[in-house]
Amino acid sequence: MAAKKTPITKDKIVSIYMNYRLENNDKPKSVYQFAKTNGFEETEFYSFFGTLESVEKEIFKMFLEKAKELIQKDPGYESYDMQSKMLSFYFTFFELLTANRSYVVMSLKEHQNQLKNLMQLSSLRIGFKNYITEIMTDEVRTQYEKFQNIQEKAIQETAWIQFLLTLKFWLEDESPAFEKTDIYIEKSVKATFELMNIAPLESLIDFGKFIFKEKIQKK
């Protein structure tokens, strides 16, 4: 009697795709070739994804969802303020990226045109902005509106830009265990929240010195 075939799943396709890219240093030429090479039917692929590009977008979205799942397991998470939740998310998310650094660096440095690389982050961007809304407190909304008359959408966009800058720093970080990225996260998040409290100078100056030092050392 023939062994029963294990059904393909979304997570399995993602795992196979990441391994394929790392092992071949290239993308599959087509969905048909990708499915045939890895022992499943093309129709099974289309049960979960419309294109190979949509798999790439799903990978970064899954990093975000896994980070949220992990930090929410902390019994004290719900009692954290927004800044602490943000720090917890950043550290967990970038730990996941580090565990998959070879794939992430390959995919985000694939094109010289950075806009093409960032297209992979479109689903992550939506999920990240939704997360910012989830953890945003009334106090934070009030502080932002009092300081600059900024609405929730602008807060989301500001947080996303900060996230992209952190991602860029991590991609270029050559320090052991990416310890400089940890410092960057702490200083940038602290500076952002102190800015909302209209007491920014000490943290902003400290953050600015750190960035300046890093840029000078790289030249």
Side-chain angles (χ1 to χ4, degrees):
M1 183 176 178
K4 187 175 180 181
K5 182 181 176 182
T6 304
I8 198 74
T9 64
K10 178 190 285 188
D11 288 355
K12 186 66 175 176
I13 290 175
V14 165
S15 178
I16 292 171
Y17 183 85
M18 292 175 70
N19 288 333
Y20 182 99
R21 288 213 57 189
L22 289 170
E23 292 170 3
N24 294 277
N25 198 31
D26 196 8
K27 293 183 178 182
K29 303 303 180 187
S30 67
V31 172
Y32 172 80
Q33 181 249 338
F34 175 62
K36 185 175 181 180
T37 301
N38 291 285
F40 61 93
E41 299 296 323
E42 186 176 5
T43 53
E44 293 180 282
F45 177 93
Y46 290 123
S47 297
F48 303 101
F49 300 102
T51 63
L52 291 170
E53 288 73 22
S54 62
V55 179
E56 296 173 349
K57 294 177 181 178
E58 182 68 19
I59 290 168
F60 287 96
K61 179 184 174 185
M62 288 175 71
F63 287 147
L64 177 137
E65 291 173 345
K66 184 63 176 178
K68 287 175 59 178
E69 177 187 332
L70 289 171
I71 61 178
Q72 288 169 357
K73 287 181 178 179
D74 181 348
Y77 175 77
E78 290 303 325
S79 64
Y80 291 173
D81 59 19
M82 184 178 177
Q83 181 174 344
S84 298
K85 286 181 178 179
M86 182 73 80
L87 281 171
S88 182
F89 169 81
Y90 263 98
F91 286 131
T92 304
F93 183 86
F94 280 93
E95 281 179 10
L96 292 173
L97 288 196
T98 298
N100 296 276
R101 186 174 173 88
S102 294
Y103 174 82
V104 175
V105 172
M106 175 190 289
S107 60
L108 292 182
K109 291 189 173 183
E110 179 181 2
H111 304 287
Q112 288 189 341
N113 185 336
Q114 284 300 309
L115 288 177
K116 287 185 177 180
N117 295 326
L118 292 177
M119 287 296 293
Q120 298 176 74
L121 305 182
S122 58
S123 295
L124 169 62
R125 179 175 180 270
I126 293 170
F128 179 80
K129 290 169 68 176
N130 288 338
Y131 175 68
I132 294 301
T133 298
E134 289 173 17
I135 66 173
M136 197 182 304
T137 62
D138 291 337
E139 180 184 3
V140 168
R141 288 188 179 90
T142 301
Q143 289 286 4
Y144 251 120
E145 291 170 2
K146 181 170 60 178
F147 185 40
Q148 291 180 317
N149 194 28
I150 294 177
Q151 302 301 313
E152 185 172 297
K153 186 175 180 180
I155 299 174
Q156 292 175 329
E157 293 297 341
T158 301
W160 175 244
I161 291 170
Q162 180 189 39
F163 176 84
L164 289 179
L165 292 173
T166 307
L167 179 58
K168 183 176 187 297
F169 189 93
W170 175 81
L171 286 168
E172 298 173 353
D173 189 0
E174 298 176 355
S175 63
F178 309 103
E179 57 191 22
K180 288 183 179 178
T181 296
D182 288 344
I183 297 170
Y184 182 100
I185 289 171
E186 288 183 3
K187 291 183 180 297
S188 64
V189 171
K190 182 180 179 182
T192 298
F193 278 86
E194 289 208 358
L195 180 62
M196 286 190 292
N197 290 324
I198 323 176
L201 286 181
E202 183 177 347
S203 289
L204 286 177
I205 290 171
D206 185 36
F207 182 46
K209 285 180 179 178
F210 174 74
I211 295 299
F212 180 75
K213 180 181 177 183
E214 288 302 306
K215 295 301 180 184
I216 291 298
Q217 286 179 342
K218 287 181 180 295
K219 292 183 179 180

